Structure formats: structure tokens, C-alpha cells
């Protein structure tokens, strides 16, 4: 467990090493808990998430791609979400992560139950798009962008939203050859 700034510095040294980051940010109580118990298991204190993640992960990348594009279309066209404020990532293998910023929802305060509220929100918004519900526990780690997937040698890579909406799976895979 380390500060995000420290993790990013390590990733920049060698992006071929696996690296994960928590969706949630924690205050000092998390550090104190970890120091005392030498594990994060059982921590139930406050956390904050700067975004709500959506995970599109199907057996076939083509299906994940289509579902992610449809979801983005719904957010942009149906809810007037500004495309330039949505972060889209190819996972490097068979899926996509889409991050909608907290500002879209009026922000939220750190709390012991924020992760539960974000799960409810995500499942409602993503219900018709078969999002993966497993990522909404408080201490969930996701692979960090700019790191290589060991099974495919492709990077988890950010793709500008408008570019992703026009891209094919092949286009995305070609982009993911480099970080």
C-alpha cells in the first residue's frame, strides 16, 4: 500500500510490471488500521472515490466493446454527460473501464458506506449494459493505466471518449501496443 503519487512514479520506471490502484481514496484512519493490523482486511472506515467506475468485461472483446460504446452513447446523448470529462480505458485484454466523475452526480462526501452507494448507482445506470458488479467493494483494486497485461502484452490504455466511440476493436488493440 502506497500513495498514488509514489505508485505512479514506480509505474513510470517500468510499465511492464503489474500494478493496481484502488478506486477509493482513504484518510489517515486507513493507514493507521493497516499499520496496526498489517492487513486491509476488515477495514470499514471512510473512503472517497473521485469517480464511479463501470467495468465491461465479456468473454468476447467485441461484445464488451459494443456494450461500452452503447453505454457511453446513453450517458452522452441521454444524460448530456460531457464526453471530454469521461475517462475510457481499454483493459489490455477483454474489456473496458469507464469512469464517470463524481461531479456528474453533484459530488459526494467521504463515508463508511460510499462504496455501497456507488454500487447501487452503477448497477442502476449500467443495468442494461451487463456491467461487472464485482468491482464495487471498498478495497477493490483495478489495474493501473499504462501497465502491460501479462497475457496479451497490451497496455491498459486511456482512449479519448470521442475516439473510442468511432473506433473498432482492432483500432483499440493497435492503440494498446504502447502505453
Amino acid at each position: 500500500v502506497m500513495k498514488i503519487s509514489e505508485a505512479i512514479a514506480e509505474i513510470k520506471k517500468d510499465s511492464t510490471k503489474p500494478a493496481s490502484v484502488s478506486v477509493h481514496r482513504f484518510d489517515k484512519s486507513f493507514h493507521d488500521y493497516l499499520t496496526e493490523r498489517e492487513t486491509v482486511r476488515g477495514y470499514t472506515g471512510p473512503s472517497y472515490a473521485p469517480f464511479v467506475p463501470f467495468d465491461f468485461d465479456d468473454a468476447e472483446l467485441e461484445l464488451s466493446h459494443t456494450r461500452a460504446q452503447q453505454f457511453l452513447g446513453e450517458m452522452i446523448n441521454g444524460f448530456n454527460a460531457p464526453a471530454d470529462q469521461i475517462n475510457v480505458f481499454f483493459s489490455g485484454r477483454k474489456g473496458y473501464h469507464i469512469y464517470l466523475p463524481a461531479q456528474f452526480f453533484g459530488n459526494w462526501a467521504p463515508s463508511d458506506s460510499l462504496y455501497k452507494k456507488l454500487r447501487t448507482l452503477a448497477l442502476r445506470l449500467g443495468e442494461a449494459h451487463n456491467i461487472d458488479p464485482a468491482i464495487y467493494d471498498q478495497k477493490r483494486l483495478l489495474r493501473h493505466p499504462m501497465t502491460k497485461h501479462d497475457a496479451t502484452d497490451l497496455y491498459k490504455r486511456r482512449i479519448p471518449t470521442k475516439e473510442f466511440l468511432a473506433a473498432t476493436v482492432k483500432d483499440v488493440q493497435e492503440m494498446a501496443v504502447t502505453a
Side-chain angles (χ1 to χ4, degrees), residues 49-135:
F51 55 83
V52 58
F54 295 83
D55 185 15
F56 299 85
D57 191 16
D58 291 283
E60 297 297 322
L61 179 56
E62 188 69 48
L63 185 54
S64 299
H65 186 86
T66 300
R67 289 181 183 181
Q69 285 179 325
Q70 289 171 342
F71 176 78
L72 279 173
E74 185 177 313
M75 294 300 105
I76 294 165
N77 301 319
F79 292 100
N80 294 317
D84 63 337
Q85 294 180 31
I86 299 171
N87 286 305
V88 179
F89 297 91
F90 171 55
S91 72
R93 188 171 185 189
K94 60 181 183 143
Y96 296 91
H97 294 147
I98 295 175
Y99 299 167
L100 299 183
Q103 298 90 308
F104 283 11
F105 307 96
N107 283 317
W108 38 68
S111 83
D112 298 353
S113 62
L114 178 62
Y115 70 100
K116 294 175 187 174
K117 294 172 185 173
L118 294 182
R119 183 180 199 278
T120 299
L121 173 64
L123 293 178
R124 285 184 183 163
L125 286 174
E127 182 175 35
H129 304 283
N130 196 38
I131 64 165
D132 183 352
I135 68 166

Side-chain angles (χ1 to χ4, degrees), residues 26-35 43 46:
F26 301 91
D27 66 11
K28 188 176 179 323
S29 66
F30 184 78
H31 179 267
D32 294 347
Y33 185 94
L34 176 63
T35 301
Y43 177 81

